[in-house]
């Protein structure tokens, strides 16, 4: 497949630039990227199109797509009253399968082809989501959510059972695959020390991705401190062996310098979820402080605490949050790099040797064909205009591993 248009290409360490050119795709891989002008001989696109790497969402919950917009509750009440009842429905693997299909259709339609996603407590429901996502070519990880306390009885199981079930999922969807199972303790509140330690051991033994939540709200931090004898939230995870290189921690709002140093030392990643943080009034993550301390920060939608499925608008939320704090904020070029290559790079450290999220020969062919209906090419900063005026209806094709997965 030959695509032509303005290519979104890497620029320096953390930006992108636009250049008219041609991308060739064969056997699921980008085989060439040529700058110098659009061609009339392409299979799709023209000089008015944007050819862009597809997006990766580094924190979202598949079972929560049907509860987006439950406004007005703080995190711990939102979990009890809205989220846990929705997750209960995944007891039925057929329901989970159908819902995963709907979710993936929505994700492809907004240009997301890579995920670090949560299923539910239910091993068979989570397996159904892995099977559907795997068959559709999604890249990333999906994890069974581990909980053995501080949740309703219908969403807790004994630690030993949960660890056995996750081990079985890791057998079926092993680390190193394009789509793999992950070790996913929900957060320290809903996990006994025994479950956290077991999860850390399992992740270490299998070299599996760990994902969880960290310091999203102040009441949550206070409860963690109470449950773990005053220990720092980050240290609870570190001591359980969970703070592994490439482990992905959702939110990370309330951290101090010592926490940041620990995260950096272990190569752990914060998945910043700005739209969820504003929606649940959790707080504003100090992006600048984390980055200045050398912590790797990616972006997530956190559906359904987050309301925004589009990673472009999550990126906008990142800029708005940093700006509202009075901090220096990322440029549009930096935000584009985050939701493409930077987010995608969280996955291959453990799971896929391909380079992804970038138009580069040899990279996985996960690519968007976009036709903006505004005069973006004559704007003083086309990348900024694309980001701030972004409309999902501009996405004409989502290509996953070289195949058309969505077409408008
Ligand atoms: Zn979350």
């Amino acid at each position: 497949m030959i695509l032509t248009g303005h290519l979104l290409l890497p620029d320096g360490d953390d930006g992108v630039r636009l250049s008219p050119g041609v991308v060739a795709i064969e056997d699921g891989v980008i085989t060439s990227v040529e700058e110098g002008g659009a061609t009339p001989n392409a299979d799709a696109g023209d000089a008015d199109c944007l050819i862009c790497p597809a997006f990766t969402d580094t924190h979202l919950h598949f079972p929560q797509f049907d509860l987006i917009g439950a406004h007005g509750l703080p995190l711990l009440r939102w979990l009890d009253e809205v989220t846990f009842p929705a997750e209960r429905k995944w007891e039925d693997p057929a329901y989970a399968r159908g819902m995963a299909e709907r979710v993936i259709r929505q994700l492809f339609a907004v240009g997301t082809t890579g995920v670090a996603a949560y299923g539910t407590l239910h091993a068979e429901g989570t397996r159904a989501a892995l099977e559907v996502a795997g068959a559709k070519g999604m890249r990333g990880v999906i994890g069974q959510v581990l909980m053995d306390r501080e949740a309703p009885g219908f969403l807790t199981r004994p630690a030993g059972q949960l660890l056995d079930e996750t081990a079985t999922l890791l057998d079926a969807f092993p680390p190193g695959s394009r789509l793999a199972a992950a070790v996913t303790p929900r957060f320290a509140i809903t996990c006994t020390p025994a479950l956290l330690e077991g999860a850390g051991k399992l992740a270490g033994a299998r070299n599996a991705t760990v994902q969880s939540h960290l310091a999203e709200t102040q009441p949550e931090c206070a409860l963690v401190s109470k449950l773990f004898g005053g220990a720092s939230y980050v240290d609870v995870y570190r001591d359980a062996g969970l703070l592994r290189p490439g482990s992905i921690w959702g939110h990370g709002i309330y951290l101090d310098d010592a926490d940041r140093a620990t995260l950096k030392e272990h190569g752990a990643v914060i998945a910043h979820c700005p739209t969820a943080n504003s929606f649940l009034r959790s707080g504003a993550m100090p992006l600048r402080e984390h980055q200045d301390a050398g912590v790797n920060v990616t972006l997530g939608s956190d559906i359904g605490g987050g309301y925004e499925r589009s990673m472009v608008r999550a990126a906008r939320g990142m800029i708005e949050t940093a700006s509202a704090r009075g901090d220096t904020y990322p440029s549009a070029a930096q935000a584009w790099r985050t939701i493409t290559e930077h987010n995608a790079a969280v996955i291959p450290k453990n799971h896929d040797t391909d380079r992804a999220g970038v138009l580069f020969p040899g990279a996985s062919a996960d690519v968007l064909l976009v036709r903006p209906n505004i005069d973006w090419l004559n704007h003083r900063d086309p990348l900024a205009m694309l980001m701030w005026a972004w409309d999902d209806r501009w996405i004409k094709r989502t290509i996953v591993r070289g195949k058309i997965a969505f077409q408008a």
Side-chain angles (χ1 to χ4, degrees), residues 272-279 283 299-300 313-319 321:
H272 178 25
C273 303
T275 46
N277 298 154
S278 64
F279 188 75
L299 258 179
R313 282 189 291 275
R316 230 151 66 180
M318 169 177 71
I319 294 172
T321 300

Side-chain angles (χ1 to χ4, degrees), residues 79-99:
L79 282 172
D80 271 335
E81 295 175 24
V82 180
T83 306
F84 290 157
E87 296 194 4
R88 184 179 196 173
K89 294 182 183 170
W90 279 41
E91 279 169 1
D92 175 4
Y95 180 89
R97 179 176 300 278
M99 182 159 183

Side-chain angles (χ1 to χ4, degrees), residues 31-353:
T31 50
S32 78
V33 177
E34 284 175 27
E35 295 183 60
T39 173
N41 303 318
D43 297 308
D46 56 45
D48 294 331
C49 287
L50 169 72
I51 308 295
C52 170
F55 310 129
T56 296
D57 184 342
T58 63
H59 184 102
L60 75 165
H61 299 254
F62 276 19
Q64 294 178 15
F65 271 65
D66 291 342
L67 59 83
I68 292 170
H71 207 194
L73 298 171
L75 173 69
L76 298 179
R77 271 190 64 201
W78 175 83
L79 282 172
D80 271 335
E81 295 175 24
V82 180
T83 306
F84 290 157
E87 296 194 4
R88 184 179 196 173
K89 294 182 183 170
W90 279 41
E91 279 169 1
D92 175 4
Y95 180 89
R97 179 176 300 278
M99 182 159 183
E101 281 174 2
R102 285 191 284 123
V103 164
I104 291 163
R105 268 201 301 276
Q106 291 180 42
L107 290 172
F108 286 165
V110 298
T112 295
T113 65
V115 292
Y118 291 56
T120 61
L121 171 92
H122 311 98
E124 291 313 306
T126 304
R127 178 191 293 273
L130 279 157
E131 285 172 356
V132 171
K136 293 190 181 299
M138 197 118 216
R139 183 174 175 278
V141 294
I142 304 175
Q144 177 192 12
V145 177
L146 310 179
M147 295 196 275
D148 67 344
R149 67 169 176 188
E150 299 286 335
F154 60 78
L155 277 186
T156 57
R157 299 284 184 276
Q161 178 188 336
L162 292 171
L163 294 168
D164 286 348
E165 288 172 347
T166 289
T168 303
L169 290 175
L170 288 165
D171 290 338
F173 298 91
S177 318
R178 180 172 169 89
L179 184 77
V183 173
T184 310
R186 181 170 218 122
F187 64 160
I189 290 173
T190 57
C191 301
T192 58
L195 178 55
L196 290 177
E197 277 165 36
K201 282 205 183 85
L202 180 60
R206 301 296 189 92
N207 196 24
T209 290
V210 172
Q211 56 179 352
S212 185
H213 296 87
L214 170 67
E216 179 176 359
T217 68
Q218 285 169 316
E220 164 206 352
C221 294
L223 184 51
V224 169
S225 178
K226 188 172 151 214
L227 290 168
F228 290 87
S232 127
Y233 204 159
V234 169
D235 291 351
V236 166
Y237 290 136
R238 183 198 60 193
D239 295 347
L242 289 161
L243 215 60
R244 297 166 42 73
S247 54
I248 305 166
W249 302 92
H251 304 291
I253 298 176
Y254 300 101
L255 303 174
D256 61 20
D257 288 344
D259 295 329
R260 283 186 273 268
T262 305
L263 290 167
K264 183 192 174 203
E265 180 193 336
H266 288 80
V269 177
I270 295 286
H272 178 25
C273 303
T275 46
N277 298 154
S278 64
F279 188 75
L280 296 178
R281 293 193 282 188
S282 302
M285 195 202 77
L287 175 65
R288 181 54 46 210
E289 284 175 38
H290 290 3
Q291 288 184 329
D292 285 350
V295 178
N296 185 8
V297 181
T298 59
L299 258 179
S301 68
D302 196 20
I303 300 291
Y307 50 87
E308 188 49 78
R309 291 165 294 174
S310 161
M311 288 313 296
V312 182
R313 282 189 291 275
R316 230 151 66 180
M318 169 177 71
I319 294 172
E320 286 173 324
T321 300
S323 174
R325 284 178 53 87
D327 296 341
T328 51
Y329 50 85
S331 66
Q334 288 170 320
W336 282 109
R337 187 73 173 269
T338 298
I339 60 175
T340 53
E341 189 174 14
H342 191 182
N343 271 10
V346 174
I347 311 294
K349 280 179 187 160
N350 291 307
H351 293 285
D352 191 345
T353 51

